[in-house]
Amino acid sequence: MSKIKPSKGAPYARIMGVGGYRPTRVVPNEVILETIDSSDEWIRSRSGIATRHWASPEETVAAMSIEASGKAIADAGITPEQIDGVIVSTVSHFKQTPAVATEIADKIGAGRPAAFDISAGCAGFGYGLTLAKGMVIEGSARYVLVIGVERLSDLTDLEDRATAFLFGDGAGAVVVGPAKEPMIGPTVWGSEGDKSDTIKQTVPWDAYRDGTVEKFPAITQEGQAVFRWAVFEMAKVAQQALDAAGISSAELDVFIPHQANMRIIDSMVKTLKLPESVTVARDVETTGNTSAASIPLAMERLLATGQAKSGDTALVIGFGAGLVYAATVVTLP
């Protein structure tokens, strides 16, 4: 018989607060058209994107995260000292080590929390949320800060007609804490590594370092393959998350998919047969694709504008490079 005592975590977990940060510089499609042969109409019809935010040198991954975290902590009604876990999902922090989570934890005054980075692309927020939920229920942390943050402008090839217009920068954060009833449903997540070449970095860092290539690495993708996968396969995953939570589409209040592309979002709404009463996040129009930051940024905007309200039931799903995905049903803070 084991001598280890059972952990004393919370019975359930919930999102307690949310915060977001968008860089001050707004970049319209006209700026993108300076380096690619296209048109504003083409970009809008292909992606639904009209503008995106690009970070200044001062708006680093850490700086944006600190701003978003401060808002989320205040929204949760706790103090930074009470945070005992910090999870950062990003693919655009260029220091291999140390984890940017440790810097963020120190700068917000969190004390000595567990702090680590994860890399799960556009599904990163869902992965981080699931880990935080487990920490709270297991008892290794009471309040966990989950951050999705990207500076994808650093990894954008402005001469690539297929991707130059897609990406934006920003940070979104939530605080996960204890709950007395289920407020974060089971996560449906996974990967399809056989499709990993459909979204990837053009070359590894050492190829650039060694002079094998002169062009700085960037993100590239096979647009049509990604579109088909997202529309047909991710709608299935979203339905599985609803089923796992015991929620029907008629009972859903809000749908917050990864803000990759307006056409993908609209197609998923149609495939899932969501009622018109469901509020759908379409933050991509003015924010672009911010990868791991897109879901918390969209969530924050819906709540701030009154399009969604505290206590609403929301389906969130992220999907992207890997190919990886994660979907769950949550109660909004």
Side-chain angles (χ1 to χ4, degrees):
M1 181 178 291
S2 174
K3 297 179 181 179
I4 300 173
K5 294 180 181 180
S7 51
K8 297 181 180 180
Y12 305 104
R14 65 186 176 115
I15 298 176
M16 299 176 59
V18 59
Y21 180 82
R22 292 171 172 81
T24 56
R25 183 187 177 193
V26 177
V27 179
N29 289 338
E30 286 72 19
V31 172
I32 307 298
L33 297 175
E34 294 174 3
T35 51
I36 62 171
D37 181 17
S38 187
S39 68
D40 177 65
E41 181 183 4
W42 186 87
I43 292 174
R44 289 174 187 256
S45 65
R46 295 278 295 184
S47 66
I49 299 172
T51 61
R52 73 284 293 147
H53 295 255
W54 282 355
S56 67
E58 293 76 25
E59 292 170 314
T60 63
V61 165
M64 293 190 293
S65 297
I66 290 166
E67 291 291 331
S69 298
K71 295 175 183 177
I73 292 168
D75 192 43
I78 64 172
T79 64
E81 293 82 2
Q82 291 176 276
I83 296 291
D84 33 32
V86 178
I87 303 172
V88 177
S89 179
T90 185
V91 298
S92 48
H93 175 57
F94 289 168
K95 286 185 180 179
Q96 194 71 35
T97 192
V100 72
T102 58
E103 177 185 350
I104 295 165
D106 176 62
K107 293 290 177 59
I108 65 173
R112 301 175 64 183
F116 57 96
D117 298 351
I118 61 172
S119 175
C122 304
F125 176 75
Y127 275 56
L129 183 65
T130 303
L131 294 173
K133 172 187 172 184
M135 292 163 69
V136 171
I137 293 175
E138 186 271 338
S140 60
R142 183 168 176 80
Y143 300 111
V144 182
L145 182 65
V146 180
I147 303 165
V149 57
E150 301 293 2
R151 271 183 55 119
L152 294 182
S153 58
D154 291 335
L155 288 168
T156 298
D157 180 354
L158 294 178
E159 296 178 348
D160 180 0
R161 190 171 184 270
T163 62
F165 58 90
L166 287 176
F167 303 119
D169 303 336
V174 299
V175 173
V176 177
K180 295 181 180 180
E181 57 182 331
M183 299 179 81
I184 301 176
T187 301
V188 177
W189 56 354
S191 64
E192 297 184 39
D194 60 315
K195 301 179 181 66
S196 60
D197 279 350
T198 56
I199 306 175
K200 63 183 180 180
Q201 184 171 305
T202 48
V203 294
W205 297 114
D206 56 0
Y208 182 73
R209 178 199 64 190
D210 297 341
T212 306
V213 296
E214 294 184 0
K215 201 168 187 177
F216 194 74
I219 297 173
T220 185
Q221 69 175 29
E222 297 175 17
Q224 286 302 314
V226 173
F227 180 85
R228 288 192 298 269
W229 175 77
V231 169
F232 296 110
E233 297 304 319
M234 291 306 97
K236 297 176 187 177
V237 171
Q239 184 60 56
Q240 290 169 14
L242 286 173
D243 295 341
I247 299 291
S248 69
S249 59
E251 296 174 287
L252 199 63
D253 299 308
V254 183
F255 180 42
I256 311 177
H258 164 50
Q259 301 295 294
N261 180 302
M262 195 75 79
R263 292 167 61 209
I264 291 174
I265 294 170
D266 291 341
S267 295
M268 290 183 72
V269 168
K270 184 177 180 180
T271 303
L272 289 167
K273 298 179 180 178
L274 297 183
E276 290 186 7
S277 59
V278 175
T279 297
V280 179
R282 291 188 170 88
D283 193 43
V284 66
E285 181 180 3
T286 56
T287 306
N289 180 343
T290 56
S291 188
S294 79
I295 290 175
L297 277 174
M299 182 184 295
E300 187 259 356
R301 175 162 280 174
L302 288 176
L303 289 166
T305 58
Q307 296 176 73
K309 61 183 186 299
S310 174
D312 278 353
T313 300
L315 168 63
V316 299
I317 178 169
F319 45 86
L323 293 169
V324 296
Y325 55 87
T328 188
V329 175
V330 304
T331 300
L332 295 181

